[in-house]
Structures are given as C-alpha cells and as structure tokens.
Amino acid sequence: MESLLGVKIGCLFALLAITLTCGLIPICFKWFQITEATGCHRRVLSLLGCISAGVFLGAGLMHMTAEALEGIESEIQKFEVQNRTEIKGNSSDATDSALVEYPYGELIISLGFFSVFLLESLALQCCPGAAEGSTVQKEEWGGTHIFGFHSHEPLPSPSRGPLRALVLLLSLSFHSVFEGLAVGLQPTIAATIQLCLAVLAHKGLVVFGIGLRLVKIGTGSRWALFSILLLALMSPLGLALGLTVAGGDPEGGQGLAQAVLEGVAAGTFLYVTFLEILPRELAGPEAPLTKWSCVAVGFAFMAFIALWA
C-alpha cells in the first residue's frame, strides 16, 4: 500500500511538471511568436498549429466525448438495474424502456456546445466590440498580404479569441481533474503507471497546443503564465481527490454528476475546436494537403493514445 501511494505521489509531480513544461515552451520562447515570424518560419508555425488542431480534435472526440458517453451510459445502466424490480405493467415497461434508451450522453454534450454558443451570443449582444479581435486575428482573417492573394469576397467575422480560449481552458480543466481522479483511484501500481503514462502522453501535446493558442491570440505573458499554471494544477488536484477516497466507487449522485460535467466539458471543447481552432488554422490557401496531413497526424496520435487512456 505504501509503495502504491509513493507511485501515485510520483505521478502527481510528473503530471504537474510535464504540464507546466509543455505549456510554457511556446509562451517563453520568442520563436513561437507568430507576429515576429516571416517566410519559412511562419509556415512552420502554421503547420505546427495544424498539428495542434488535430490533437485538439482527437482529444475532444477520442478522449473527452468517449469518456463522457461511457460514463453517462454506465450511470444509466446502474439506474436501470436499480429500478428494474420496481417496474410493473407492460405500458410502464415500454415507457421506461424508451426513457432509458434515449441518447442522454449526446444531449448533455450538445448542451455543453450550446452553452458556449449562448455565452458568445450574449457577449456579442451586450458588447459588440468583443468581435473586433486582436491585431493578430485581423491579419489571419483579413491580411491578404500574408498569403499573397487578393479577394473581394466577404471575410469571416473575426474570432472571439480570448473568450474561446477561456472556454477551452475551463473545459480542459474539468477534463484534467477527472483524469487525475482516475489515476488516483487505480488499485494497482501497474494500472496507475499505465494510465499515468497515457495521460502524460496526450496531456503534454494538448497543453502545448493551449500555450500556442494563447500566444497566437495575443494573450499577455502574465495571463498566459497564470492560465497554464492553473491548468497544470488540475490533474494533480484530481489525483489528490482520488487519493482521499482511496479506491472507493462513486456513490449516490457523485458518479452521475461527474459524467454530466464531463459531457458538458466535452461539448464546450468540441465547440471551440470546430469553430475556433480548425477554421483559423485552415483559413489560408497555402498547402492545403500539407495542412490536412498535419491535422491528421495530430488526430492519429491521440487516437493511438486512446488505446491505453
């Protein structure tokens, strides 16, 4: 038991160190500042952003959404077993069966998606200036000199980068707490190390992409450092919570609450991935197949990690 506790404490510090290191690399090194990049340097950063977009897509679909659906399905099955003996009458059977088979997981993920949609709509309604975007965003959407072409077609409205970055951080923070909780609840040393390595493998890339995203939207250094620090503390926090419950299964509504929060986080993550990250990375006309390949590589890596996560 003491050796298992020692391994989990080691995993706690490993999660903290890897997350901090990967998140701070694009923030602390000027090489990643796209506003100062030109020529080949800028193209490399663009392709690196496409890889991170694939990582975000893989994390949203293969990890967050998959885990949310699995958790909600598990809770529905528990509910069905507990209430099976109480169901009497054919009409009641049919009604309850229809209720149990309803796609609750997809509904909760969609609610997460629409909650961010509503938040952005309210922000635009109350503060129209929020849609103006930063100088970097204007260059990415409207700076035709960057890509060497000129068009009179209406340009997409600039992204509300800071708001979406905040949503991305919050949703990933929820997910990180649950990841750490899962590591902390593992009953054996082998299972703990295996799950921790899987979490570290995809967490490092995702947090690196977060840091790169904060740099691209022009977030101040202090706020970017603060954001990465808070994000880095989420997995260790979840692991510490897992240690406190010492391997006990969720009781009462705890498991359901966790599954619902995971589903909402997955929905918000997918919203930001599809409406913020991918459109911005694929907006330029340069090397479309190369960009597709980079997105596919990032997604494939996350799909591969899902074998163990």
Side-chain angles (χ1 to χ4, degrees):
M1 183 62 69
E2 291 183 359
S3 58
L4 177 60
L5 178 61
V7 168
K8 289 183 178 181
I9 293 176
C11 291
L12 187 151
F13 285 106
L15 287 169
L16 179 61
I18 293 296
T19 305
L20 275 177
T21 301
C22 294
L24 293 179
I25 286 176
I27 295 174
C28 297
F29 291 93
K30 289 186 176 181
W31 190 87
F32 294 96
Q33 301 290 334
I34 195 169
T35 54
E36 302 177 5
T38 56
C40 182
H41 183 188
R42 190 178 191 91
R43 286 192 291 272
V44 170
L45 287 180
S46 176
L47 295 179
L48 188 60
C50 289
I51 293 176
S52 70
V55 170
F56 284 125
L57 182 60
L61 291 176
M62 303 299 296
H63 293 266
M64 299 181 74
T65 300
E67 292 172 11
L69 291 176
E70 181 181 357
I72 294 170
E73 179 67 22
S74 176
E75 293 301 318
I76 291 176
Q77 290 178 356
K78 290 180 183 178
F79 175 82
E80 184 178 10
V81 170
Q82 292 173 356
N83 291 273
R84 185 172 297 168
T85 57
E86 301 176 3
I87 298 176
K88 295 180 180 180
N90 292 334
S91 60
S92 179
D93 285 344
T95 302
D96 289 334
S97 176
L99 290 175
V100 169
E101 292 176 359
Y102 188 82
Y104 292 104
E106 290 80 357
L107 176 63
I108 292 173
I109 293 173
S110 300
L111 289 177
F113 184 96
F114 277 100
S115 66
V116 187
F117 195 0
L118 176 62
L119 180 62
E120 288 201 346
S121 299
L122 289 174
L124 289 176
Q125 183 71 28
C126 300
C127 305
E132 293 178 358
S134 65
T135 303
V136 177
Q137 294 163 346
K138 290 178 181 178
E139 289 180 354
E140 288 181 353
W141 287 115
T144 54
H145 63 281
I146 294 176
F147 303 113
F149 75 104
H150 184 76
S151 174
H152 295 286
E153 296 296 325
L155 295 171
S157 59
S159 168
R160 277 75 65 194
L163 178 58
R164 285 179 176 170
L166 176 61
V167 170
L168 190 65
L169 285 168
L170 290 176
S171 60
L172 189 57
S173 295
F174 276 120
H175 183 62
S176 297
V177 170
F178 299 139
E179 282 181 334
L181 182 63
V183 174
L185 291 175
Q186 295 306 304
T188 65
I189 293 178
T192 300
I193 294 176
Q194 181 182 13
L195 183 57
C196 183
L197 290 177
V199 171
L200 286 174
H202 88 269
K203 186 74 177 292
L205 280 177
V206 172
V207 176
F208 177 86
I210 291 288
L212 191 63
R213 177 61 43 191
L214 292 174
V215 170
K216 281 193 171 187
I217 65 175
T219 307
S221 298
R222 290 185 178 180
W223 280 110
L225 291 172
F226 182 70
S227 299
I228 294 298
L229 177 60
L230 284 182
L231 186 57
L233 291 173
M234 292 299 106
S235 288
L237 174 62
L239 198 153
L241 291 175
L243 289 176
T244 59
V245 297
D249 293 328
E251 298 178 356
Q254 182 180 350
L256 179 60
Q258 176 176 331
V260 170
L261 287 175
E262 186 78 66
V264 173
T268 60
F269 202 92
L270 291 178
Y271 180 92
V272 176
T273 299
F274 283 109
L275 295 184
E276 159 72 8
I277 300 171
L278 283 174
R280 286 166 57 85
E281 297 300 343
L282 302 178
E286 290 183 337
L289 287 180
T290 304
K291 289 184 176 182
W292 179 91
S293 299
C294 290
V295 175
V297 166
F299 179 86
F301 183 82
M302 299 305 290
F304 179 73
I305 293 299
L307 290 173
W308 297 277

